[in-house]
PDB file of all heavy atoms in Angstrom:
ATOM      1  N   GLN A   1       3.871  12.415   5.350  1.00 88.00           N
ATOM      2  CA  GLN A   1       5.284  12.215   5.718  1.00 88.00           C
ATOM      3  C   GLN A   1       6.233  12.473   4.627  1.00 88.00           C
ATOM      4  O   GLN A   1       7.431  12.100   4.766  1.00 88.00           O
ATOM      5  CB  GLN A   1       5.456  10.796   6.222  1.00 88.00           C
ATOM      6  CG  GLN A   1       6.304  10.593   7.428  1.00 88.00           C
ATOM      7  CD  GLN A   1       6.293   9.239   8.005  1.00 88.00           C
ATOM      8  OE1 GLN A   1       5.534   8.354   7.620  1.00 88.00           O
ATOM      9  NE2 GLN A   1       7.107   9.017   9.033  1.00 88.00           N
ATOM     10  N   SER A   2       5.812  13.143   3.538  1.00 81.00           N
ATOM     11  CA  SER A   2       6.708  13.370   2.375  1.00 81.00           C
ATOM     12  C   SER A   2       6.669  14.827   1.996  1.00 81.00           C
ATOM     13  O   SER A   2       5.556  15.461   2.032  1.00 81.00           O
ATOM     14  CB  SER A   2       6.247  12.508   1.223  1.00 81.00           C
ATOM     15  OG  SER A   2       6.145  11.129   1.537  1.00 81.00           O
ATOM     16  N   ASN A   3       7.739  15.409   1.685  1.00 79.00           N
ATOM     17  CA  ASN A   3       7.859  16.761   1.159  1.00 79.00           C
ATOM     18  C   ASN A   3       7.239  16.817  -0.198  1.00 79.00           C
ATOM     19  O   ASN A   3       7.322  15.874  -0.994  1.00 79.00           O
ATOM     20  CB  ASN A   3       9.318  17.215   1.157  1.00 79.00           C
ATOM     21  CG  ASN A   3       9.795  17.650   2.459  1.00 79.00           C
ATOM     22  OD1 ASN A   3       9.075  18.346   3.249  1.00 79.00           O
ATOM     23  ND2 ASN A   3      10.995  17.275   2.856  1.00 79.00           N
ATOM     24  N   GLY A   4       6.752  18.015  -0.559  1.00 80.00           N
ATOM     25  CA  GLY A   4       6.207  18.200  -1.923  1.00 80.00           C
ATOM     26  C   GLY A   4       4.819  17.606  -2.024  1.00 80.00           C
ATOM     27  O   GLY A   4       4.273  17.627  -3.252  1.00 80.00           O
ATOM     28  N   ARG A   5       4.233  17.215  -1.015  1.00 86.00           N
ATOM     29  CA  ARG A   5       2.876  16.636  -1.095  1.00 86.00           C
ATOM     30  C   ARG A   5       2.041  17.342   0.076  1.00 86.00           C
ATOM     31  O   ARG A   5       2.549  17.932   0.872  1.00 86.00           O
ATOM     32  CB  ARG A   5       2.802  15.132  -0.887  1.00 86.00           C
ATOM     33  CG  ARG A   5       3.529  14.323  -1.964  1.00 86.00           C
ATOM     34  CD  ARG A   5       3.576  12.906  -1.546  1.00 86.00           C
ATOM     35  NE  ARG A   5       4.056  12.053  -2.652  1.00 86.00           N
ATOM     36  CZ  ARG A   5       4.160  10.691  -2.580  1.00 86.00           C
ATOM     37  NH1 ARG A   5       3.759  10.115  -1.453  1.00 86.00           N
ATOM     38  NH2 ARG A   5       4.596  10.011  -3.527  1.00 86.00           N
ATOM     39  N   ARG A   6       0.753  17.101  -0.108  1.00 89.00           N
ATOM     40  CA  ARG A   6      -0.161  17.534   1.032  1.00 89.00           C
ATOM     41  C   ARG A   6      -1.045  16.402   1.389  1.00 89.00           C
ATOM     42  O   ARG A   6      -1.270  15.562   0.542  1.00 89.00           O
ATOM     43  CB  ARG A   6      -0.950  18.839   0.589  1.00 89.00           C
ATOM     44  CG  ARG A   6      -1.962  18.543  -0.542  1.00 89.00           C
ATOM     45  CD  ARG A   6      -2.947  19.728  -0.610  1.00 89.00           C
ATOM     46  NE  ARG A   6      -3.805  19.502  -1.755  1.00 89.00           N
ATOM     47  CZ  ARG A   6      -4.929  18.698  -1.788  1.00 89.00           C
ATOM     48  NH1 ARG A   6      -5.128  17.902  -0.775  1.00 89.00           N
ATOM     49  NH2 ARG A   6      -5.652  18.610  -2.856  1.00 89.00           N
ATOM     50  N   PRO A   7      -1.684  16.401   2.577  1.00 93.00           N
ATOM     51  CA  PRO A   7      -2.596  15.313   3.007  1.00 93.00           C
ATOM     52  C   PRO A   7      -3.814  15.310   2.051  1.00 93.00           C
ATOM     53  O   PRO A   7      -4.221  16.387   1.548  1.00 93.00           O
ATOM     54  CB  PRO A   7      -2.921  15.655   4.399  1.00 93.00           C
ATOM     55  CG  PRO A   7      -1.862  16.640   4.888  1.00 93.00           C
ATOM     56  CD  PRO A   7      -1.453  17.384   3.619  1.00 93.00           C
ATOM     57  N   PHE A   8      -4.423  14.155   2.033  1.00 96.00           N
ATOM     58  CA  PHE A   8      -5.779  14.073   1.370  1.00 96.00           C
ATOM     59  C   PHE A   8      -6.830  14.689   2.257  1.00 96.00           C
ATOM     60  O   PHE A   8      -6.980  14.453   3.399  1.00 96.00           O
ATOM     61  CB  PHE A   8      -6.102  12.602   1.123  1.00 96.00           C
ATOM     62  CG  PHE A   8      -5.400  11.868   0.058  1.00 96.00           C
ATOM     63  CD1 PHE A   8      -4.221  11.126   0.345  1.00 96.00           C
ATOM     64  CD2 PHE A   8      -5.815  11.989  -1.266  1.00 96.00           C
ATOM     65  CE1 PHE A   8      -3.544  10.554  -0.658  1.00 96.00           C
ATOM     66  CE2 PHE A   8      -5.093  11.397  -2.254  1.00 96.00           C
ATOM     67  CZ  PHE A   8      -3.988  10.601  -2.028  1.00 96.00           C
ATOM     68  N   GLY A   9      -7.526  15.638   1.618  1.00 96.00           N
ATOM     69  CA  GLY A   9      -8.653  16.355   2.362  1.00 96.00           C
ATOM     70  C   GLY A   9      -9.909  15.626   2.352  1.00 96.00           C
ATOM     71  O   GLY A   9     -10.936  16.203   1.930  1.00 96.00           O
ATOM     72  N   ALA A  10      -9.917  14.348   2.614  1.00 97.00           N
ATOM     73  CA  ALA A  10     -11.118  13.480   2.548  1.00 97.00           C
ATOM     74  C   ALA A  10     -11.137  12.512   3.658  1.00 97.00           C
ATOM     75  O   ALA A  10     -10.066  11.922   4.017  1.00 97.00           O
ATOM     76  CB  ALA A  10     -11.190  12.818   1.219  1.00 97.00           C
ATOM     77  N   SER A  11     -12.260  12.295   4.284  1.00 97.00           N
ATOM     78  CA  SER A  11     -12.482  11.229   5.254  1.00 97.00           C
ATOM     79  C   SER A  11     -13.482  10.206   4.619  1.00 97.00           C
ATOM     80  O   SER A  11     -14.426  10.616   4.046  1.00 97.00           O
ATOM     81  CB  SER A  11     -13.115  11.885   6.496  1.00 97.00           C
ATOM     82  OG  SER A  11     -13.347  10.808   7.463  1.00 97.00           O
ATOM     83  N   CYS A  12     -13.174   8.914   4.785  1.00 97.00           N
ATOM     84  CA  CYS A  12     -13.968   7.906   4.123  1.00 97.00           C
ATOM     85  C   CYS A  12     -14.654   7.046   5.143  1.00 97.00           C
ATOM     86  O   CYS A  12     -14.109   6.584   6.171  1.00 97.00           O
ATOM     87  CB  CYS A  12     -12.987   7.066   3.294  1.00 97.00           C
ATOM     88  SG  CYS A  12     -12.016   7.964   2.115  1.00 97.00           S
ATOM     89  N   ILE A  13     -15.948   6.575   4.832  1.00 98.00           N
ATOM     90  CA  ILE A  13     -16.695   5.558   5.510  1.00 98.00           C
ATOM     91  C   ILE A  13     -16.639   4.392   4.562  1.00 98.00           C
ATOM     92  O   ILE A  13     -17.290   4.463   3.515  1.00 98.00           O
ATOM     93  CB  ILE A  13     -18.072   6.048   5.932  1.00 98.00           C
ATOM     94  CG1 ILE A  13     -17.987   7.220   6.841  1.00 98.00           C
ATOM     95  CG2 ILE A  13     -18.797   4.822   6.616  1.00 98.00           C
ATOM     96  CD1 ILE A  13     -19.403   7.703   7.231  1.00 98.00           C
ATOM     97  N   ILE A  14     -16.073   3.225   4.956  1.00 98.00           N
ATOM     98  CA  ILE A  14     -15.915   2.142   4.137  1.00 98.00           C
ATOM     99  C   ILE A  14     -16.691   0.982   4.772  1.00 98.00           C
ATOM    100  O   ILE A  14     -16.564   0.724   5.944  1.00 98.00           O
ATOM    101  CB  ILE A  14     -14.476   1.615   3.940  1.00 98.00           C
ATOM    102  CG1 ILE A  14     -13.681   2.813   3.362  1.00 98.00           C
ATOM    103  CG2 ILE A  14     -14.386   0.412   3.069  1.00 98.00           C
ATOM    104  CD1 ILE A  14     -12.280   2.874   3.698  1.00 98.00           C
ATOM    105  N   ALA A  15     -17.679   0.454   3.991  1.00 98.00           N
ATOM    106  CA  ALA A  15     -18.574  -0.574   4.533  1.00 98.00           C
ATOM    107  C   ALA A  15     -18.747  -1.706   3.532  1.00 98.00           C
ATOM    108  O   ALA A  15     -18.523  -1.585   2.344  1.00 98.00           O
ATOM    109  CB  ALA A  15     -19.975   0.064   4.784  1.00 98.00           C
ATOM    110  N   GLY A  16     -19.253  -2.862   4.130  1.00 97.00           N
ATOM    111  CA  GLY A  16     -19.494  -3.998   3.284  1.00 97.00           C
ATOM    112  C   GLY A  16     -19.379  -5.314   4.064  1.00 97.00           C
ATOM    113  O   GLY A  16     -19.443  -5.299   5.246  1.00 97.00           O
ATOM    114  N   PHE A  17     -19.120  -6.382   3.282  1.00 97.00           N
ATOM    115  CA  PHE A  17     -19.121  -7.740   3.900  1.00 97.00           C
ATOM    116  C   PHE A  17     -17.857  -8.500   3.522  1.00 97.00           C
ATOM    117  O   PHE A  17     -17.472  -8.407   2.336  1.00 97.00           O
ATOM    118  CB  PHE A  17     -20.312  -8.558   3.391  1.00 97.00           C
ATOM    119  CG  PHE A  17     -21.651  -8.097   3.987  1.00 97.00           C
ATOM    120  CD1 PHE A  17     -22.346  -7.042   3.384  1.00 97.00           C
ATOM    121  CD2 PHE A  17     -22.187  -8.712   5.028  1.00 97.00           C
ATOM    122  CE1 PHE A  17     -23.482  -6.575   3.874  1.00 97.00           C
ATOM    123  CE2 PHE A  17     -23.387  -8.304   5.565  1.00 97.00           C
ATOM    124  CZ  PHE A  17     -24.083  -7.215   5.003  1.00 97.00           C
ATOM    125  N   ASP A  18     -17.341  -9.178   4.527  1.00 96.00           N
ATOM    126  CA  ASP A  18     -16.124  -9.978   4.208  1.00 96.00           C
ATOM    127  C   ASP A  18     -16.629 -11.282   3.486  1.00 96.00           C
ATOM    128  O   ASP A  18     -17.836 -11.578   3.504  1.00 96.00           O
ATOM    129  CB  ASP A  18     -15.471 -10.439   5.502  1.00 96.00           C
ATOM    130  CG  ASP A  18     -14.559  -9.351   6.015  1.00 96.00           C
ATOM    131  OD1 ASP A  18     -14.268  -8.414   5.287  1.00 96.00           O
ATOM    132  OD2 ASP A  18     -14.153  -9.454   7.236  1.00 96.00           O
ATOM    133  N   PRO A  19     -15.669 -12.035   2.870  1.00 92.00           N
ATOM    134  CA  PRO A  19     -16.046 -13.261   2.203  1.00 92.00           C
ATOM    135  C   PRO A  19     -16.813 -14.287   3.112  1.00 92.00           C
ATOM    136  O   PRO A  19     -17.560 -15.071   2.635  1.00 92.00           O
ATOM    137  CB  PRO A  19     -14.750 -13.922   1.714  1.00 92.00           C
ATOM    138  CG  PRO A  19     -13.831 -12.642   1.504  1.00 92.00           C
ATOM    139  CD  PRO A  19     -14.291 -11.674   2.604  1.00 92.00           C
ATOM    140  N   ASP A  20     -16.615 -14.206   4.438  1.00 93.00           N
ATOM    141  CA  ASP A  20     -17.354 -15.072   5.397  1.00 93.00           C
ATOM    142  C   ASP A  20     -18.704 -14.461   5.829  1.00 93.00           C
ATOM    143  O   ASP A  20     -19.275 -14.936   6.764  1.00 93.00           O
ATOM    144  CB  ASP A  20     -16.447 -15.332   6.608  1.00 93.00           C
ATOM    145  CG  ASP A  20     -16.170 -14.118   7.404  1.00 93.00           C
ATOM    146  OD1 ASP A  20     -16.550 -12.976   7.058  1.00 93.00           O
ATOM    147  OD2 ASP A  20     -15.464 -14.265   8.521  1.00 93.00           O
ATOM    148  N   SER A  21     -19.145 -13.420   5.150  1.00 93.00           N
ATOM    149  CA  SER A  21     -20.453 -12.794   5.366  1.00 93.00           C
ATOM    150  C   SER A  21     -20.518 -11.928   6.581  1.00 93.00           C
ATOM    151  O   SER A  21     -21.599 -11.611   7.077  1.00 93.00           O
ATOM    152  CB  SER A  21     -21.541 -13.802   5.375  1.00 93.00           C
ATOM    153  OG  SER A  21     -21.603 -14.557   4.146  1.00 93.00           O
ATOM    154  N   THR A  22     -19.434 -11.513   7.171  1.00 94.00           N
ATOM    155  CA  THR A  22     -19.430 -10.690   8.324  1.00 94.00           C
ATOM    156  C   THR A  22     -19.419  -9.199   7.850  1.00 94.00           C
ATOM    157  O   THR A  22     -18.596  -8.752   7.090  1.00 94.00           O
ATOM    158  CB  THR A  22     -18.154 -10.874   9.184  1.00 94.00           C
ATOM    159  OG1 THR A  22     -18.045 -12.208   9.490  1.00 94.00           O
ATOM    160  CG2 THR A  22     -18.212 -10.058  10.442  1.00 94.00           C
ATOM    161  N   PRO A  23     -20.430  -8.381   8.354  1.00 96.00           N
ATOM    162  CA  PRO A  23     -20.506  -7.001   7.984  1.00 96.00           C
ATOM    163  C   PRO A  23     -19.481  -6.156   8.738  1.00 96.00           C
ATOM    164  O   PRO A  23     -19.230  -6.432   9.854  1.00 96.00           O
ATOM    165  CB  PRO A  23     -21.963  -6.563   8.387  1.00 96.00           C
ATOM    166  CG  PRO A  23     -22.251  -7.519   9.455  1.00 96.00           C
ATOM    167  CD  PRO A  23     -21.540  -8.818   9.289  1.00 96.00           C
ATOM    168  N   HIS A  24     -18.954  -5.121   8.104  1.00 97.00           N
ATOM    169  CA  HIS A  24     -18.006  -4.261   8.813  1.00 97.00           C
ATOM    170  C   HIS A  24     -18.261  -2.784   8.333  1.00 97.00           C
ATOM    171  O   HIS A  24     -18.823  -2.508   7.262  1.00 97.00           O
ATOM    172  CB  HIS A  24     -16.605  -4.555   8.431  1.00 97.00           C
ATOM    173  CG  HIS A  24     -16.074  -5.872   8.914  1.00 97.00           C
ATOM    174  ND1 HIS A  24     -15.744  -6.026  10.291  1.00 97.00           N
ATOM    175  CD2 HIS A  24     -15.943  -6.998   8.310  1.00 97.00           C
ATOM    176  CE1 HIS A  24     -15.330  -7.316  10.411  1.00 97.00           C
ATOM    177  NE2 HIS A  24     -15.475  -7.960   9.285  1.00 97.00           N
ATOM    178  N   LEU A  25     -17.883  -1.859   9.253  1.00 98.00           N
ATOM    179  CA  LEU A  25     -18.039  -0.395   8.904  1.00 98.00           C
ATOM    180  C   LEU A  25     -16.731   0.288   9.527  1.00 98.00           C
ATOM    181  O   LEU A  25     -16.522   0.258  10.704  1.00 98.00           O
ATOM    182  CB  LEU A  25     -19.237   0.139   9.643  1.00 98.00           C
ATOM    183  CG  LEU A  25     -19.514   1.663   9.329  1.00 98.00           C
ATOM    184  CD1 LEU A  25     -20.130   1.843   7.956  1.00 98.00           C
ATOM    185  CD2 LEU A  25     -20.498   2.182  10.442  1.00 98.00           C
ATOM    186  N   TYR A  26     -15.926   0.859   8.589  1.00 98.00           N
ATOM    187  CA  TYR A  26     -14.649   1.473   8.998  1.00 98.00           C
ATOM    188  C   TYR A  26     -14.762   2.936   8.661  1.00 98.00           C
ATOM    189  O   TYR A  26     -15.390   3.353   7.689  1.00 98.00           O
ATOM    190  CB  TYR A  26     -13.502   0.855   8.306  1.00 98.00           C
ATOM    191  CG  TYR A  26     -13.115  -0.551   8.771  1.00 98.00           C
ATOM    192  CD1 TYR A  26     -13.615  -1.676   8.150  1.00 98.00           C
ATOM    193  CD2 TYR A  26     -12.295  -0.714   9.907  1.00 98.00           C
ATOM    194  CE1 TYR A  26     -13.315  -2.995   8.595  1.00 98.00           C
ATOM    195  CE2 TYR A  26     -12.006  -1.961  10.335  1.00 98.00           C
ATOM    196  CZ  TYR A  26     -12.496  -3.117   9.712  1.00 98.00           C
ATOM    197  OH  TYR A  26     -12.189  -4.393  10.072  1.00 98.00           O
ATOM    198  N   VAL A  27     -14.001   3.745   9.366  1.00 98.00           N
ATOM    199  CA  VAL A  27     -13.793   5.172   9.130  1.00 98.00           C
ATOM    200  C   VAL A  27     -12.373   5.507   9.064  1.00 98.00           C
ATOM    201  O   VAL A  27     -11.596   5.134   9.923  1.00 98.00           O
ATOM    202  CB  VAL A  27     -14.524   6.019  10.169  1.00 98.00           C
ATOM    203  CG1 VAL A  27     -14.305   7.558   9.738  1.00 98.00           C
ATOM    204  CG2 VAL A  27     -16.031   5.762  10.178  1.00 98.00           C
ATOM    205  N   THR A  28     -11.878   6.222   8.035  1.00 97.00           N
ATOM    206  CA  THR A  28     -10.510   6.672   7.924  1.00 97.00           C
ATOM    207  C   THR A  28     -10.502   8.233   7.895  1.00 97.00           C
ATOM    208  O   THR A  28     -11.464   8.840   7.417  1.00 97.00           O
ATOM    209  CB  THR A  28      -9.747   6.231   6.660  1.00 97.00           C
ATOM    210  OG1 THR A  28     -10.290   6.870   5.526  1.00 97.00           O
ATOM    211  CG2 THR A  28      -9.988   4.722   6.540  1.00 97.00           C
ATOM    212  N   ASP A  29      -9.453   8.815   8.428  1.00 95.00           N
ATOM    213  CA  ASP A  29      -9.360  10.323   8.384  1.00 95.00           C
ATOM    214  C   ASP A  29      -8.115  10.721   7.700  1.00 95.00           C
ATOM    215  O   ASP A  29      -7.253   9.895   7.295  1.00 95.00           O
ATOM    216  CB  ASP A  29      -9.434  10.908   9.875  1.00 95.00           C
ATOM    217  CG  ASP A  29      -8.252  10.547  10.694  1.00 95.00           C
ATOM    218  OD1 ASP A  29      -7.253  10.131  10.137  1.00 95.00           O
ATOM    219  OD2 ASP A  29      -8.343  10.661  11.930  1.00 95.00           O
ATOM    220  N   PRO A  30      -7.805  12.037   7.471  1.00 95.00           N
ATOM    221  CA  PRO A  30      -6.744  12.485   6.616  1.00 95.00           C
ATOM    222  C   PRO A  30      -5.377  12.136   7.211  1.00 95.00           C
ATOM    223  O   PRO A  30      -4.415  12.088   6.498  1.00 95.00           O
ATOM    224  CB  PRO A  30      -6.887  13.947   6.574  1.00 95.00           C
ATOM    225  CG  PRO A  30      -8.328  14.198   6.674  1.00 95.00           C
ATOM    226  CD  PRO A  30      -8.865  13.087   7.644  1.00 95.00           C
ATOM    227  N   SER A  31      -5.272  11.824   8.534  1.00 94.00           N
ATOM    228  CA  SER A  31      -4.015  11.431   9.121  1.00 94.00           C
ATOM    229  C   SER A  31      -3.575  10.105   8.767  1.00 94.00           C
ATOM    230  O   SER A  31      -2.349   9.636   9.016  1.00 94.00           O
ATOM    231  CB  SER A  31      -4.085  11.604  10.643  1.00 94.00           C
ATOM    232  OG  SER A  31      -4.868  10.678  11.217  1.00 94.00           O
ATOM    233  N   GLY A  32      -4.487   9.231   8.358  1.00 95.00           N
ATOM    234  CA  GLY A  32      -4.168   7.784   8.047  1.00 95.00           C
ATOM    235  C   GLY A  32      -4.640   6.837   9.066  1.00 95.00           C
ATOM    236  O   GLY A  32      -4.329   5.656   9.013  1.00 95.00           O
ATOM    237  N   THR A  33      -5.394   7.305  10.072  1.00 96.00           N
ATOM    238  CA  THR A  33      -5.894   6.579  11.152  1.00 96.00           C
ATOM    239  C   THR A  33      -7.218   5.794  10.630  1.00 96.00           C
ATOM    240  O   THR A  33      -7.909   6.438   9.851  1.00 96.00           O
ATOM    241  CB  THR A  33      -6.326   7.339  12.353  1.00 96.00           C
ATOM    242  OG1 THR A  33      -5.155   8.101  12.822  1.00 96.00           O
ATOM    243  CG2 THR A  33      -6.764   6.475  13.544  1.00 96.00           C
ATOM    244  N   TYR A  34      -7.404   4.545  11.024  1.00 97.00           N
ATOM    245  CA  TYR A  34      -8.711   3.932  10.676  1.00 97.00           C
ATOM    246  C   TYR A  34      -9.245   3.203  11.894  1.00 97.00           C
ATOM    247  O   TYR A  34      -8.434   2.676  12.759  1.00 97.00           O
ATOM    248  CB  TYR A  34      -8.581   2.916   9.522  1.00 97.00           C
ATOM    249  CG  TYR A  34      -7.847   1.669   9.688  1.00 97.00           C
ATOM    250  CD1 TYR A  34      -8.495   0.543  10.134  1.00 97.00           C
ATOM    251  CD2 TYR A  34      -6.430   1.583   9.640  1.00 97.00           C
ATOM    252  CE1 TYR A  34      -7.820  -0.750  10.392  1.00 97.00           C
ATOM    253  CE2 TYR A  34      -5.797   0.324   9.808  1.00 97.00           C
ATOM    254  CZ  TYR A  34      -6.516  -0.758  10.211  1.00 97.00           C
ATOM    255  OH  TYR A  34      -5.853  -1.969  10.381  1.00 97.00           O
TER     256      TYR A  34
END
């Protein structure tokens, strides 16, 4: 959304455990959606 920049060309898979021991698996894409 900013001039003079380009989007990040990377998609991330983020995984782990919350402090209450709940496991999670998230995916983000270059648009900023997760």
Side-chain angles (χ1 to χ4, degrees):
Q1 221 170 354
S2 307
N3 280 317
R5 295 176 172 182
R6 65 163 176 78
F8 285 96
S11 177
C12 308
I13 301 179
I14 302 152
F17 289 81
D18 278 349
D20 66 357
S21 300
T22 306
H24 292 283
L25 181 77
Y26 289 94
V27 177
T28 72
D29 67 18
S31 69
T33 304
Y34 73 91

